[in-house]
Amino acid sequence: MQLTLLTLAEPNRFNIVELLKKAPRSVSEIVQALNIGQPQVSRHLRILSEAGLVSSRNKAQQRIYSLEAKPFQDLDAWFDSFSILWEERLDYFEDYMLDYKKKED
């Protein structure tokens, strides 16, 4: 989980993930879309791949990158674990508002 968050914290890697969220892309398509150099894109893709966030397949002379679902499913589950906190706080707020309304009446 920490590795995923640390990897996504870098703005260019985050932008690559956002781009790949829409569709798999080649390195050259990523270079064009994000207007950063090919060596930088390749380096970020290598880091994303080492973190398990992307995978690639060969298509003729190109490597096509796509997102891996598992790390994002893990992130989603982690964020969901905080929903209990929000539900408790909303329950407290509801109780407070009901008490407040009773005092007003």
Side-chain angles (χ1 to χ4, degrees):
M1 179 68 56
Q2 269 187 311
L3 178 61
T4 299
L5 292 172
L6 284 170
T7 304
L8 293 173
E10 201 288 323
N12 287 319
R13 289 194 287 269
F14 182 84
N15 290 335
I16 290 171
V17 166
E18 282 293 311
L19 191 61
L20 294 175
K21 186 170 66 174
K22 297 171 189 163
R25 296 184 193 266
S26 68
V27 173
S28 61
E29 290 172 323
I30 296 169
V31 166
Q32 271 190 320
L34 298 180
N35 199 26
I36 53 178
Q38 188 272 327
Q40 289 82 16
V41 168
S42 293
R43 185 175 72 84
H44 290 304
L45 285 168
R46 180 183 49 80
I47 293 168
L48 288 165
S49 179
E50 289 172 357
L53 296 169
V54 300
S55 61
S56 65
R57 61 182 166 79
N58 292 328
K59 182 180 176 186
Q61 299 295 324
Q62 296 181 320
R63 293 188 77 141
I64 306 297
Y65 285 86
S66 59
L67 294 179
E68 287 291 318
K70 178 75 169 100
F72 296 100
Q73 291 168 341
D74 291 345
L75 271 180
D76 189 43
W78 187 69
F79 285 125
D80 276 352
S81 70
F82 291 96
S83 66
I84 293 169
L85 294 172
W86 284 108
E87 289 172 14
E88 285 178 5
R89 289 181 183 165
L90 287 174
D91 288 343
Y92 293 142
F93 181 69
E94 182 180 15
D95 293 343
Y96 172 80
M97 292 305 291
L98 289 172
D99 287 344
Y100 182 80
K101 188 172 180 175
K102 284 180 186 173
K103 290 177 186 174
E104 289 281 316
D105 293 337

